[in-house]
Amino acid sequence: MSKTKITIVPTSNETILKFEADRFLTNHNSFEFNNIDEAKHSPLAQQLFYLPFVKKVYIASNFVAIERFNIVDWSNVQDEVAQQIEKYLSDGGVIVTEEASKPKAAVTVYAESTPNPSVMKFVCNKVLVPNLYEFTSIEEAKPSPLATALFQFPFVKNVFMEKNFISITKFDIIEWEEITLQLREFIKSYVEQGKTILNDDAPKQLNKTEEAIEQKFEALDDTSKNIVNILEEYVKPAVASDGGNIEFRSYDESTKKVEVLLQGACSGCPSSTFTLKNGIENMLKEMLNDNTITVNAING
């Protein structure tokens, strides 16, 4: 088994620390254990509970979060814990048993229209992916068995996944009324059966680990960082509700030009390119106090 790398990620709660893996640990399921008895279906959690300072263990798609008792500080033990988890996973240790992975709640999926008439948003009551992923062809979709399966439908043009929803772009050869129910039932059945949504190595392969994202952000200049923060706080939540995403691409200090990528429902939308471009441009001019900034919005 290939070596698993663990990255220590602080949280807003000083008693809780995340240990992020560079591969998937569970098949889009999350588990919370309050003591060693509750953890009977998770050998990994049971092993962690033997550490006297472990109060609670939470295992999600690509990380283990541990809440500690106040008898120690994380700074004194975090490296040792990370090494223990890393070795356990690299040695092929069982994370959760099949019994623990059995669905505990019904899967629901509903379809939601978007401002883009070519895109439908399918929302699930379960977290599907830890980050956003966009695939524009079946070749690109190899890291995602679900996206690959969706591209088997001849009318699927683009697949965009984020957290608990999938935005599907169709070709104009067919109307949504004819295929929405078919797609909704397909996604619902796929998730219910516990099939793989993303391959274990997808975050690493596509440079989507939390560590990679943080490194990319830290490499930016100060103005670019401000732009990214503005997009994250003021723009992304609104476009995510419409099944899309805005991704920062670049900022040119000499020309004051910002380039953003429109993804999901935003890409190719008749209104998105103009409306979002102008909205983002006006927001950046005001919040950065620079009227010379321009925005170029390109479709993903």
Side-chain angles (χ1 to χ4, degrees):
M1 182 133 185
S2 60
K3 181 175 173 59
T4 300
K5 178 176 172 53
I6 292 293
T7 303
I8 299 171
V9 182
T11 72
S12 58
N13 186 332
E14 64 177 17
T15 66
I16 299 175
L17 205 60
K18 281 172 63 176
F19 298 86
E20 187 194 65
D22 60 355
R23 67 177 178 88
F24 277 88
L25 305 179
T26 67
N27 192 14
H28 66 81
N29 287 320
S30 298
F31 306 91
E32 184 175 314
F33 307 105
N34 294 291
N35 54 58
I36 197 168
D37 293 327
E38 285 188 8
K40 63 182 179 180
H41 296 306
S42 173
L44 171 57
Q46 282 195 315
Q47 178 170 310
L48 292 170
F49 273 116
Y50 285 118
L51 300 172
F53 53 82
V54 171
K55 180 179 180 181
K56 184 181 293 188
V57 176
Y58 182 83
I59 301 176
S61 56
N62 69 326
F63 67 86
V64 177
I66 299 175
E67 182 177 357
R68 62 168 173 80
F69 288 107
N70 290 324
I71 58 174
V72 297
D73 289 328
W74 274 123
S75 58
N76 297 325
V77 296
Q78 62 184 32
D79 292 335
E80 181 184 340
V81 174
Q83 290 169 11
Q84 181 174 326
I85 296 173
E86 199 170 84
K87 183 179 187 307
Y88 184 91
L89 297 176
S90 297
D91 290 345
V94 176
I95 300 166
V96 291
T97 64
E98 187 176 339
E99 182 68 27
S101 300
K102 289 181 179 178
K104 295 175 176 60
V107 173
T108 60
V109 176
Y110 67 88
E112 190 176 278
S113 59
T114 75
N116 188 338
S118 296
V119 179
M120 188 69 73
K121 179 180 177 183
F122 295 87
V123 185
C124 185
N125 66 332
K126 290 182 176 290
V127 174
L128 303 174
V129 290
N131 212 310
L132 64 88
Y133 295 85
E134 183 170 42
F135 306 103
T136 59
S137 68
I138 195 167
E139 288 78 19
E140 279 189 10
K142 288 178 181 178
S144 170
L146 174 54
T148 299
L150 288 169
F151 275 112
Q152 301 297 325
F153 293 100
F155 45 77
V156 171
K157 181 180 181 181
N158 181 287
V159 177
F160 175 84
M161 303 176 174
E162 183 173 9
K163 301 299 181 182
N164 69 325
F165 72 84
I166 300 172
S167 290
I168 296 176
T169 307
K170 69 173 181 62
F171 288 104
D172 293 333
I173 57 174
I174 200 165
E175 298 301 320
W176 280 118
E177 290 79 4
E178 302 172 62
I179 58 175
T180 298
L181 180 61
Q182 181 183 6
L183 286 170
R184 184 177 70 81
E185 289 300 319
F186 176 82
I187 295 170
K188 180 177 183 292
S189 175
Y190 192 100
V191 176
E192 280 180 335
Q193 293 175 46
K195 294 182 178 179
T196 302
I197 294 174
L198 285 172
N199 292 332
D200 286 350
D201 62 349
K204 188 174 182 180
Q205 182 181 347
L206 298 174
N207 213 26
K208 292 279 189 176
T209 64
E210 200 161 328
E211 182 182 22
I213 293 169
E214 183 65 24
Q215 287 177 348
K216 185 178 179 181
F217 177 78
E218 290 302 327
L220 298 174
D221 60 81
D222 289 342
T223 303
S224 295
K225 287 179 179 178
N226 286 335
I227 294 170
V228 170
N229 288 333
I230 291 169
L231 293 177
E232 290 284 343
E233 185 171 355
Y234 297 101
V235 180
K236 285 195 174 187
V239 297
S241 66
D242 287 332
N245 182 59
I246 304 291
E247 184 174 293
F248 172 81
R249 293 293 295 272
S250 64
Y251 168 69
D252 190 319
E253 178 65 37
S254 60
T255 62
K256 300 298 181 73
K257 180 180 288 187
V258 178
E259 187 171 273
V260 296
L261 180 68
L262 307 181
Q263 297 177 298
C266 297
S267 180
C269 179
S271 62
S272 284
T273 304
F274 178 78
T275 305
L276 284 171
K277 172 191 177 301
N278 285 285
I280 294 170
E281 193 171 284
N282 291 333
M283 182 182 295
L284 293 178
K285 284 179 177 179
E286 180 180 347
M287 299 188 76
L288 297 176
N289 196 26
D290 188 344
N291 287 322
T292 63
I293 286 178
T294 59
V295 171
N296 180 33
I298 59 176
N299 289 315

